[in-house]
Amino acid sequence: MKIIITGGAGFIGSHVARHFVLTYPNYQIVNLDALTYAGNLANLKDIETEPNYSFVKGDIRDVSFIDELFVREQPDAVIHLAAESHVDRSISNPTDFVLTNVVGTVNLLNAARAIWGNDGTKRFYHVSTDEVYGALGETGMFTEETKYDPHSPYSASKAGSDHFVRAYHDTYGMNTVISNCSNNYGANHFPEKLIPLAIHNIKNNKPVPVYGKGENIRDWLWVNDHARAIDVIFHKAAPGSTYNIGGHNEWKNIDLIRLLCKIMDKKLGRAEGTSESLITFVKDRAGHDLRYAIDSSKLQRELGWVPSLQFEEGLEKTVDWYLSNEEWLENVTSGAYKDYYEAQYVQR
Ligand code: NAD
Ligand code: TYD
């Protein structure tokens, strides 16, 4: 089996690519990635010489390139992760999100359909987010039946791509699968997102920006558990189906940051409370969704997936990774990445 994994040089994609390359030596894995600021081949250094792995640099917005690639490679499946992924950047530049997330996804669907025809054994797996469901109040959880209600340009673009993937199943009979996952954390995460940004800033004694009052709630999952869930869904889900992925792990932003500060104080040998003094409340994000919480009982019940790590343990492991990969963190915040890193402080 040959699988094109898109966005394999990014945060989640690098874990998915590594998982498939090492778990399935008989599969050929082709990593297709444009290497935007969020894509980094250093994330894949340990697998780059594996005989079942190859990398192709290319942009999913480029129709003729994508069409030719699919004809040349003749993949049996696609696992699609390439996307613009940061909500704050989508607020300052929504069009990029439409072009990569919506149009890029449709380009891939068309290229796959052109070579697969009606062959229902070929699978298109679209990796999506729980943010398509909108925001929750104090109670309730997103299920697979929750009505789509995206609020940010990012979540609107992901909702649009989900709808196109479903439409290709319903209209052309394509064997599609979608999963909607909660917030991920772990190694290789570009330090524009809350957890790696806070680790980077605490380490460098810089302010840790907390939007609004820090009362927004996110449901966090270790990225390697997401990769394992994608494996199970890819192999076992029925055509046209959807699965939510999440670890039942809700945290108020401010509580999460306080826990992270405690872990950082311990790891850096600082007096308790030192890192907490860096917390700085800043202007809130526009349209900031209050709460996400995902019900992944369908995945657990039907396909037997369960998360492997408790959050405290996963967060500590994550901190250890960033502290022992200082060069990675330095590289992605300097040189060619510097403008993108600094542009994270975009208008919210
Ligand atoms: P990321 O920003 O870390 O990585 C995105 C990757 O896509 C990068 O390697 C980038 O180079 C590549 N890419 C971007 N535009 C491209 C283009 N036009 N052509 C080819 N490659 C391109 O993102 P991530 O956090 O790893 O997210 C991966 C996927 O998972 C996304 O589809 C995202 O919506 C989804 N998702 C993310 C989370 C999360 O918490 N990060 C949660 C649920 C779902
Ligand atoms: P983020 O990591 O951007 O993920 P998402 O917006 O996709 O959930 O943000 C997670 C939460 O943390 C979200 O409620 C916004 C908040 N946040 C901060 O308070 N400060 C920050 O510097 C960042 C990047 C996010």
Side-chain angles (χ1 to χ4, degrees), residues 7 9-13 32-36 38-39 58-61 81-85 100 127-129 154 158 181-184 189 193 226:
F11 166 47
I12 301 171
L32 164 64
D33 198 297
L35 299 183
T36 69
D59 194 324
I60 61 169
R61 292 170 300 184
L81 297 104
E84 289 293 339
S85 67
T100 286
V127 175
S128 192
T129 167
Y154 164 67
K158 291 297 291 186
C181 188
S182 61
N183 287 61
N184 285 213
H189 208 179
K193 308 276 172 37
H226 188 186

Side-chain angles (χ1 to χ4, degrees), residues 86-88 131 183 192-194 197 209-211 216 218 220 253 285 288 292:
H86 191 35
V87 173
D88 292 332
E131 303 189 24
N183 287 61
E192 62 185 353
K193 308 276 172 37
L194 180 66
L197 173 83
V210 173
Y211 299 171
N216 302 68
R218 296 293 180 263
W220 295 92
N253 290 341
R285 172 185 280 171
H288 196 172
Y292 303 143

Side-chain angles (χ1 to χ4, degrees), residues 61-306:
R61 292 170 300 184
D62 182 341
V63 176
S64 52
F65 168 79
I66 293 299
D67 287 348
E68 282 162 27
L69 177 78
F70 274 63
V71 169
R72 190 172 70 241
E73 294 288 347
Q74 293 291 319
D76 301 293
V78 173
I79 302 179
H80 174 37
L81 297 104
E84 289 293 339
S85 67
H86 191 35
V87 173
D88 292 332
R89 290 184 203 271
S90 82
I91 294 170
S92 55
N93 196 353
T95 307
D96 280 354
F97 285 68
V98 179
L99 295 178
T100 286
N101 299 1
V102 184
V103 181
T105 300
V106 174
N107 291 342
L108 291 169
L109 288 164
N110 287 338
R113 197 175 149 240
I115 59 161
W116 293 344
N118 296 325
D119 186 346
T121 65
K122 313 290 189 196
R123 168 152 281 186
F124 191 103
Y125 185 138
H126 180 56
V127 175
S128 192
T129 167
D130 62 352
E131 303 189 24
V132 298
Y133 297 125
L136 293 163
E138 299 296 325
T139 58
M141 294 178 108
F142 300 133
T143 72
E144 288 80 359
E145 274 70 50
T146 302
K147 194 164 102 15
Y148 275 33
D149 184 22
H151 297 139
S152 73
Y154 164 67
S155 54
S157 69
K158 291 297 291 186
S161 58
D162 288 11
H163 288 319
F164 270 101
V165 173
R166 269 192 201 101
Y168 274 59
H169 170 264
D170 297 348
T171 308
Y172 307 116
M174 191 183 263
N175 176 350
T176 62
V177 184
I178 299 175
S179 57
N180 298 89
C181 188
S182 61
N183 287 61
N184 285 213
Y185 70 96
N188 303 346
H189 208 179
F190 192 79
E192 62 185 353
K193 308 276 172 37
L194 180 66
I195 291 178
L197 173 83
I199 293 173
H200 180 62
N201 285 15
I202 293 169
K203 180 171 159 278
N204 292 300
N205 279 307
K206 293 205 320 210
V208 178
V210 173
Y211 299 171
K213 294 181 180 152
E215 282 175 349
N216 302 68
I217 292 172
R218 296 293 180 263
D219 190 347
W220 295 92
L221 181 71
W222 191 41
V223 64
N224 302 62
D225 282 333
H226 188 186
R228 285 176 43 248
I230 288 173
D231 177 347
V232 174
I233 295 167
F234 176 76
H235 287 102
K236 294 190 179 166
S241 61
T242 293
Y243 285 87
N244 282 349
I245 309 173
H248 240 291
N249 180 43
E250 291 179 53
W251 283 79
K252 219 178 244 192
N253 290 341
I254 188 65
D255 295 338
L256 186 162
I257 292 298
R258 289 204 172 109
L259 171 63
L260 190 60
C261 287
K262 258 199 197 99
I263 295 174
M264 292 291 285
D265 281 344
K266 191 173 81 183
K267 300 278 173 189
L268 295 170
R270 294 176 176 170
E272 200 171 327
T274 311
S275 300
E276 252 196 62
S277 67
L278 297 167
I279 292 175
T280 308
F281 293 94
V282 298
K283 181 169 158 261
D284 208 353
R285 172 185 280 171
H288 196 172
D289 287 340
L290 176 67
R291 174 171 165 257
Y292 303 143
I294 197 136
D295 178 349
S296 61
S297 53
K298 179 183 173 193
L299 174 60
Q300 306 205 7
R301 195 177 56 247
E302 291 184 4
L303 305 185
W305 171 90
V306 279

